[in-house]
Amino acid sequence: MRSIPSLQKSASAVYVTLTALVVAVAALAVFEQVRGRRLVLEISELNGDPHAPGADAVFGAVTVFAILIMFFAASAIAAVAAYLNWLLRARQGADRTAVAPVLVSWFVPVVNLAAPPVLVDRLWRASRPPLDRRLRWKALLTAWWLSWLVASALVLARLWPGAPQGGASLTGFGLTELVAVATASLLCATTVRQITGIQAAGGGHRRRTRPERRLPAQAAETVPVKPTSVQQDQVKQDRVKRNPVRSVPTPLADDPAPSLSEAPSPEVSGQEQPQEVHPAGQ
């Protein structure tokens, strides 16, 4: 099946982007602990004056912070795009090619709070998994989605414009946000691996058990087969045995051939001969 390698590549893209997202959150958390709180105090002391003493050091730290924020945003967008790409390819492998349910379940507000795990569960069942994995799959799916909701809520609460930041920090990212994002990413990657592995195993089994192509019965009957010389001789002998040639008597050479000029007899021809009329008294 040609879609299996592409599905595995898209799954690898999900793993890579999720790893990058965890690294970005970890970098922000470390920057907050090492430089973020002191940077907030330094910015407040400048009073908006770019020429104040120490402004260059503050400008360098702010640049690093901006790069980390852009790296976090890019990795989050890449993770979402890679996951949606994998989800669409996995649905194609399960003969579910509709794109609208995926977009609605992930991007419509309120619907995206419960529809994505239902969609993924239907995809898992459509991939024909072993029946004994159902309970483990439901536990994994529930844990992934709950951890994803918790991580999303924590990140949005920290990055939402106007949200209060505790402890005079830039973003408020810390160990709690890092653990939540890492847990959600790990469980998400596990669900992707489960479905990808099931479809890959199913595709390999179908390749191994694929029946050979045969001609239809009607087409096979119409194909002429030229018999060999031995078969032809055997057919002739069978025909002779079934229909023996009867001997036809041939006329002898001494027997005279019947003359065609002889008139047929009255009995044969069925015609009466004219009678001779004599005069009276003779």
Side-chain angles (χ1 to χ4, degrees):
M1 183 180 292
R2 293 183 180 181
S3 61
I4 295 301
S6 61
L7 179 62
Q8 292 175 342
K9 290 181 180 179
S10 59
S12 300
V14 174
Y15 306 150
V16 172
T17 53
L18 288 176
T19 303
L21 179 61
V22 174
V23 171
V25 175
L28 282 173
V30 171
F31 185 84
E32 287 283 354
Q33 297 297 325
V34 175
R35 188 75 174 86
R37 295 180 179 180
R38 185 158 51 92
L39 181 61
V40 172
L41 296 176
E42 293 175 355
I43 293 175
S44 62
E45 291 176 357
L46 292 177
N47 294 323
D49 185 8
H51 302 288
D56 294 338
V58 172
F59 179 76
V62 170
T63 302
V64 173
F65 174 73
I67 292 175
L68 292 179
I69 286 292
M70 289 188 292
F71 176 53
F72 168 77
S75 60
I77 294 173
V80 172
Y83 183 83
L84 291 179
N85 179 53
W86 168 83
L87 187 59
L88 292 175
R89 291 185 181 275
R91 285 174 60 85
Q92 291 177 358
D95 297 331
R96 297 175 180 266
T97 58
V99 180
V102 177
L103 300 180
V104 170
S105 64
W106 281 93
F107 294 107
V108 174
V110 181
V111 177
N112 56 9
L113 296 178
V118 175
L119 191 70
V120 175
D121 183 59
R122 291 180 179 177
L123 173 61
W124 185 82
R125 287 184 294 176
S127 301
R128 299 179 181 88
L131 298 178
D132 57 348
R133 298 184 184 179
R134 179 63 179 169
L135 294 178
R136 287 182 294 176
W137 164 253
K138 292 179 68 174
L140 173 62
L141 185 65
T142 303
W144 162 64
W145 189 243
L146 291 178
S147 64
W148 173 258
L149 292 178
V150 171
S152 300
L154 290 175
V155 171
L156 290 177
R158 297 300 186 184
L159 298 180
W160 195 263
Q165 306 297 338
S169 60
L170 292 174
T171 59
F173 278 12
L175 182 61
T176 302
E177 289 75 17
L178 177 58
V179 171
V181 172
T183 303
S185 300
L186 178 61
L187 293 175
C188 179
T190 306
T191 59
V192 171
R193 183 175 177 272
Q194 287 278 342
I195 297 178
T196 304
I198 291 172
Q199 291 196 6
H205 178 70
R206 284 191 292 269
R207 285 195 300 268
R208 289 191 298 268
T209 60
R210 185 177 180 179
E212 298 180 357
R213 297 182 60 184
R214 296 181 179 179
L215 293 175
Q218 184 177 2
E221 291 177 357
T222 57
V223 175
V225 179
K226 186 177 181 181
T228 61
S229 59
V230 177
Q231 293 177 347
Q232 292 178 353
D233 295 341
Q234 184 66 31
V235 170
K236 291 180 180 180
Q237 293 177 5
D238 294 341
R239 289 179 178 176
V240 170
K241 291 179 180 180
R242 289 195 300 267
N243 301 318
V245 180
R246 297 180 179 179
S247 59
V248 180
T250 57
L252 298 177
D254 296 338
D255 295 340
S259 176
L260 297 178
S261 61
E262 294 181 359
S265 61
E267 293 79 5
V268 177
S269 61
Q271 299 179 357
E272 295 182 355
Q273 296 292 334
Q275 296 180 0
E276 184 178 358
V277 180
H278 299 278
Q282 293 183 358

